[in-house]
Amino acid sequence: MSVRQLFLASALFLGISTLGAQAPTSKPAAPAPAAQAAKPSLEVSPPREMDSVRFGILGDTGTGDRRQYEVGAQMTKAMQIFPFEFVIMLGDNIYGSERPQDFVKKFEKPYEGILSQKVPFYASLGNHDDPTQRYYKPFNMNGERFYTFKKGDARFFALDSNYMDQQQLKWIEEQLSGANDRWKIAFFHHPLYSSGARHGSEVDLRTRLEPLFVKYGVDIVFAGHEHFYERIVPQKGIYYFTQGGSAKLREGNIRINSALTAKGFDTDNVFMVAELGKDSMQFQVVSRTGRRVDSGSVPLMPEPKSADDKPRSQ
Amino acid sequence: MLKLRRWQMMRTGLALFCLALCISLPAARSLVVAAVAQQAVNPLAREMADFKKRVDAYLQLRKTITQKYPEVKETGNPTKIHEREVALGKAIGLARANAKAGDVFGPLSGHLLKVVEDDWNSRSPADQKAILSEIPRGLMLKVNQPYPPKLPLVTAPPKLLAQLPVLPEELEYRLVDRRLLLRDRDANVIVDVLVGAEPKRAE
């Protein structure tokens, strides 16, 4: 165990909170240099609304390496300030071999602090995931590759973007058309829009999904696959977040001057917390070193959606 | 007297001939109709129906095997999931020990090859590169082999999936280095490999 890991573990164990919540900054914090990695800071603000739906977002997590554990430790600390009720996982939950011990090393241990608080995780499948993960109870997939669940005024749709067949598309349309919840949130692995130099936008998938999302008023879409964070300029009234950097990192991979990027961060790993309120979603993106790298408010848009919605970044 | 007998025989023969004609005409007509109908059936529809029969036969075999290895219920114990996957894959491999490439795709193989090729040619070079870059090149998977557990499960291109026959939930298509595979989802075993034209190597 490194000195830094030891420090983080001790701080967590002793419940030391040298860091209070800080007010959102008007500009996202600059990426922390490696030398500051041990700096004990956590820039997370508490929730703003009383009865909001609060959740965490992790993507591309299952490496079992130091970075995953450090993000997990920061997120566990953040839970004290921003008590999220559940966590959604954007795929690539377990990289490489999926032996029983891998589930411990690449999921149960890194998020031990969160799991011990009985906070449920809801997983979606990535291209590195064996579909039999759907039987793994802590992923709460009910044995299904794609599924839906409701939290307060929000309905979440976990999709299997690795295998978008006709059966799943039919199911999505049926579920979306029947949903009358205030918020409709979709999450899956492959991003429909991305400025990633490695993968980029999944145009083929977008051709299938976007018309349904627009038609049935999906508000927000979370995806992973790209190992960085990117908030996309709203597309056809829908807000897209790519958050595939919770363990792996593809440093410097966001294409410079991409017209899609509202905010990008590709120099460290991150996790995300959000709350769905009556009229807006507040979000915070926090790096492995505890620095807030993006935050803002996404308004709940009346349907039908307009194409020129802009996020109210703080 | 002789004339009368001859006349009676002729009359009987004529009656029998008429009777035979009456009986055989509708049968002959239905034979002709069936032959015409046979020609009218779309050959592709016939191949599709044949493919479905082969898939159903696989499922029937699988059903007998899963009686010994029933589907796992949701569990917090990943060992149970892992052990069932491995055992099911091995049992299927044993039960289909003589299976060879093309056994399930059958006569539909020619059509499927064309679908895969047309889909490939419709994609941009960047898209082709993205598909190929997901796993190491030159991976040759064979029937009854497990899909390499450490490799990503290559993303199935949605546009291609939309053009392929719908599969039951137990099975899925995967495009590995431009070869179409049929994979058993829970057993992680290769059920069939599309044989035919050697895929062209992308630059």
Side-chain angles (χ1 to χ4, degrees):
Chain A
M1 183 181 271
S2 69
V3 174
R4 173 174 157 61
Q5 277 179 305
L6 198 63
F7 175 82
L8 284 171
S10 313
L12 201 61
F13 180 73
L14 296 169
I16 294 169
S17 182
T18 54
L19 333 155
Q22 295 179 11
T25 51
S26 57
K27 286 181 183 176
Q36 291 180 6
K39 186 184 171 188
S41 64
L42 183 60
E43 298 174 355
V44 176
S45 301
R48 293 188 176 187
E49 292 187 38
M50 282 290 288
D51 299 318
S52 56
V53 174
R54 300 154 191 173
F55 60 106
I57 302 117
L58 289 169
D60 299 66
T61 49
T63 59
D65 70 9
R66 185 174 56 86
R67 286 174 174 270
Q68 183 189 8
Y69 279 73
E70 287 174 353
V71 170
Q74 290 285 20
M75 198 172 180
T76 307
K77 278 200 284 183
M79 198 167 53
Q80 311 303 316
I81 303 162
F82 189 101
F84 47 84
E85 305 150 43
F86 61 99
V87 177
I88 60 171
M89 298 175 77
L90 308 176
D92 286 0
N93 313 310
I94 308 285
Y95 283 104
S97 60
E98 299 197 15
R99 299 160 303 169
Q101 59 268 40
D102 291 307
F103 283 79
V104 176
K105 184 186 170 192
K106 301 170 186 177
F107 174 69
E108 293 173 14
K109 281 285 177 192
Y111 309 118
E112 196 171 27
I114 301 169
L115 288 164
S116 67
Q117 297 298 309
K118 308 286 183 208
V119 172
F121 284 66
Y122 294 92
S124 57
L125 296 172
N127 56 318
H128 286 264
D129 296 319
D130 188 326
T132 56
Q133 283 182 20
R134 69 192 192 276
Y135 300 121
Y136 181 53
K137 180 67 185 145
F139 285 169
N140 285 298
M141 300 175 76
N142 300 316
E144 304 290 347
R145 290 190 294 122
F146 42 90
Y147 62 100
T148 175
F149 61 94
K150 187 175 168 67
K151 295 281 181 184
D153 282 345
R155 180 157 289 280
F156 288 76
F157 301 88
L159 308 182
D160 178 7
S161 60
N162 201 35
Y163 199 83
M164 190 55 66
D165 56 354
Q166 299 305 303
Q167 183 194 3
Q168 185 177 186
L169 286 165
K170 187 168 171 272
W171 178 88
I172 294 168
E173 178 144 29
E174 282 170 3
Q175 295 297 318
L176 282 175
S177 64
N180 53 8
D181 307 81
R182 180 188 293 269
W183 291 96
K184 290 176 189 162
I185 314 288
F187 67 100
F188 46 89
H189 189 59
H190 298 74
L192 303 192
Y193 292 93
S194 168
S195 303
R198 171 72 183 267
H199 296 302
S201 303
E202 295 285 339
V203 180
D204 192 346
L205 186 66
R206 190 165 78 205
T207 308
R208 286 347 187 233
L209 289 181
E210 191 177 51
L212 296 175
F213 290 173
V214 171
K215 184 176 179 185
Y216 297 109
V218 169
D219 300 287
I220 298 162
V221 175
F222 294 100
H225 200 41
E226 301 278 21
H227 299 158
F228 52 69
Y229 166 76
E230 186 180 23
R231 171 161 53 87
I232 299 289
V233 172
Q235 302 290 323
K236 298 181 183 174
I238 300 172
Y239 291 83
Y240 291 89
F241 292 85
T242 301
Q243 207 291 71
S246 295
K248 286 212 171 189
L249 178 66
R250 203 164 282 136
E251 207 160 344
N253 198 244
I254 300 177
R255 279 184 285 110
I256 297 166
N257 298 329
S258 165
L260 290 174
T261 310
K263 170 70 186 173
F265 182 75
D266 59 4
T267 53
D268 202 356
N269 303 97
V270 295
F271 68 92
M272 196 171 170
V273 290
E275 64 171 319
L276 298 166
K278 197 178 171 193
D279 301 311
S280 64
M281 180 189 84
Q282 310 292 327
F283 64 91
Q284 302 173 65
V285 182
V286 182
S287 79
R288 183 172 57 111
T289 58
R291 305 292 299 270
R292 181 165 37 226
V293 298
D294 193 20
S295 63
S297 172
V298 169
L300 178 66
M301 297 302 292
E303 296 173 37
K305 297 172 181 309
S306 61
D308 57 351
D309 304 325
K310 294 279 187 280
R312 298 198 307 267
S313 289
Q314 294 174 331
Chain B
M1 192 67 185
L2 195 66
K3 267 186 177 180
L4 186 67
R5 273 182 90 176
R6 252 187 220 161
W7 166 242
Q8 278 175 336
M9 278 174 71
M10 274 176 68
R11 207 171 58 173
T12 311
L14 193 67
L16 283 171
F17 175 74
C18 287
L19 186 68
L21 202 66
C22 288
I23 293 168
S24 62
L25 260 180
R29 199 176 65 177
S30 61
L31 275 175
V32 170
V33 168
V36 171
Q38 186 80 357
Q39 282 175 351
V41 170
N42 182 346
L44 181 59
R46 216 168 36 232
E47 289 169 9
M48 290 276 195
D50 178 86
F51 175 64
K52 188 179 177 307
K53 273 185 193 169
R54 288 163 189 261
V55 167
D56 287 346
Y58 174 78
L59 290 183
Q60 193 56 43
L61 174 75
R62 191 185 191 279
K63 198 175 167 185
T64 58
I65 296 168
T66 50
Q67 283 169 356
K68 195 175 174 189
Y69 306 100
E71 188 175 336
V72 283
K73 302 291 172 202
E74 266 198 309
T75 172
N77 181 359
T79 305
K80 282 186 184 172
I81 301 168
H82 182 73
E83 284 178 351
R84 193 255 183 177
E85 178 179 286
V86 172
L88 187 59
K90 280 184 182 168
I92 289 172
L94 278 174
R96 301 181 72 234
N98 297 321
K100 56 187 188 307
D103 276 1
V104 180
F105 288 128
L108 192 61
S109 296
H111 168 72
L112 295 175
L113 280 166
K114 187 173 181 327
V115 169
V116 172
E117 195 65 22
D118 288 351
D119 176 77
W120 183 261
N121 292 333
S122 73
R123 293 179 184 275
S124 68
D127 199 10
Q128 292 178 349
K129 192 179 165 191
I131 290 172
L132 290 172
S133 66
E134 213 170 343
I135 54 164
R137 303 292 306 278
L139 186 67
M140 297 288 284
L141 295 175
K142 293 177 181 168
V143 173
N144 284 341
Q145 267 188 342
Y147 187 94
K150 288 186 179 178
L151 288 184
L153 197 50
V154 284
T155 308
K159 185 160 75 84
L160 176 61
L161 282 184
Q163 299 171 75
L164 298 172
V166 174
L167 290 174
E169 189 60 20
E170 291 87 344
L171 292 170
E172 60 180 22
Y173 299 105
R174 293 288 168 181
L175 192 64
V176 174
D177 205 11
R178 299 192 56 201
R179 282 174 197 277
L180 191 71
L181 307 179
L182 208 53
R183 175 181 176 269
D184 188 302
R185 193 170 267 141
D186 280 4
N188 188 36
V189 74
I190 307 300
V191 175
D192 204 0
V193 179
L194 186 61
V195 288
E198 192 67 17
K200 289 173 197 161
R201 312 303 297 181
E203 297 306 317

